[in-house]
Amino acid sequence: MRLVPHSNSDGYRVFMEPHEYETMVECASRDRAEIAFRLGAECSLRKKEVLEVTLNKIQKSRSPGVEISFMRVWGKETRKENSKKPRKPWVPNSLREELERYSKRKNIRPSSPLYPKSKGTLQNDIVDARERAAEKTGDDDFLEVTFHDFRRYFATHLFYREGVNIEFIAALGGWEDPDYMKEEYLDPYFDDVIERHLAQKGVLDIENDHQSDFEKVLEKMSDLSNRIDTLERTVATDTGEFESEEVESEESDEDHALEEFL
């Protein structure tokens, strides 16, 4: 976890590693808090936007062949307090399914907010979770986490660990200025990010297995292609040997018949 002082106010910008984000989610004492944290970190929703989420605002793409889901959100424009604009955050399938289960458990109608409409309630859930996380891990840096730090996790994780284009991240998260997002929401100084980058550049003399999901898929596809090539060569070789044996057998029969005739 990295704490970076705000340049124009007290407090810190907190940048969490994946296992620290997971700790915050695990330390949520209520399931409503868990879904709120995930909406912040996996959809990049602001605190106020979380309070307006309804199940019927989450829809699968209507584009042919596209299987992912999006959410309809009216959020503020960065650095424009009283201005709003629409955007479509991506909703991971695992989160969409969890929201559906939560709605069913709580008997919440599709048009009703999933989270109680109170910033104070969400703030209390944050305070409770960060205190539990600090106690569980012995790391008091958790006490500095705010809800906005989930948006920092969203941007940093997608950019540095998953390799997503910065313009895409800005569009999904509602940042109209990618340079501002880069300045306030990205931080590369994590051990795993540094190790992976140095290994990719050939600087390290150790093997590095930190791969994005996309890179893992590409590696599996390449491995499968190599296996198919090997199988095709094996089949071609076996078929050639079989045909060769048939030819030799035919020649042997002809020779035998000739000997009998003579």
Side-chain angles (χ1 to χ4, degrees), residues 75-250:
K76 75 170 188 175
E77 293 189 67
T78 307
R79 294 180 291 187
K80 295 181 181 179
E81 194 65 35
N82 298 317
S83 177
K84 287 189 174 184
K85 67 174 184 178
R87 78 175 195 274
K88 290 198 319 180
W90 161 57
V91 183
N93 287 335
S94 63
L95 177 54
R96 176 178 56 80
E97 292 166 359
E98 180 58 35
L99 294 175
E100 291 172 350
R101 289 192 292 266
Y102 173 80
S103 177
K104 187 175 182 179
R105 285 198 309 270
K106 301 296 183 180
N107 197 27
I108 300 174
R109 293 179 298 176
S111 59
S112 298
L114 292 172
Y115 194 90
K117 281 220 166 191
S118 169
K119 285 186 178 181
T121 301
L122 184 49
Q123 179 60 26
N124 290 337
D125 283 343
I126 280 283
V127 171
D128 178 63
R130 69 191 187 189
E131 289 178 350
R132 290 160 62 94
E135 182 177 356
K136 177 181 179 179
T137 63
D139 186 354
D140 286 344
D141 285 351
F142 275 104
L143 299 176
E144 302 295 336
V145 174
T146 67
F147 190 82
H148 214 64
D149 294 320
F150 290 121
R151 278 170 57 81
R152 293 189 173 90
Y153 176 81
F154 171 86
T156 293
H157 182 71
L158 286 186
F159 186 69
Y160 287 111
R161 294 191 176 89
E162 300 297 342
V164 178
N165 183 282
I166 195 168
E167 281 77 18
F168 283 140
I169 299 173
L172 292 172
W175 293 285
E176 72 274 6
D177 183 356
D179 289 335
Y180 174 77
M181 185 198 78
K182 189 173 182 180
E183 178 182 346
E184 294 291 326
Y185 293 86
L186 297 183
D187 189 289
Y189 297 106
F190 290 103
D191 294 351
D192 63 313
V193 174
I194 294 171
E195 180 188 63
R196 176 184 171 189
H197 179 75
L198 293 177
Q200 288 176 340
K201 297 301 180 182
V203 176
L204 302 183
D205 57 356
I206 61 174
E207 293 186 2
N208 177 272
D209 62 355
H210 295 298
Q211 295 177 302
S212 68
D213 290 341
F214 181 66
E215 289 172 329
K216 291 176 182 177
V217 170
L218 288 180
E219 184 177 352
K220 289 181 179 179
M221 290 176 64
S222 177
D223 181 57
L224 179 60
S225 177
N226 292 335
R227 291 186 181 185
I228 292 174
D229 290 342
T230 301
L231 180 60
E232 288 177 343
R233 287 195 297 269
T234 301
V235 171
T237 301
D238 292 345
T239 302
E241 290 177 354
F242 180 74
E243 291 176 349
S244 176
E245 289 174 1
E246 286 185 336
V247 172
E248 290 178 1
S249 176
E250 290 174 358

Side-chain angles (χ1 to χ4, degrees), residues 58-61 67-71 89-93 96:
I58 302 173
Q59 299 179 349
K60 286 189 176 181
S61 171
E67 299 296 329
I68 62 177
S69 300
F70 295 93
M71 183 188 307
W90 161 57
V91 183
N93 287 335
R96 176 178 56 80

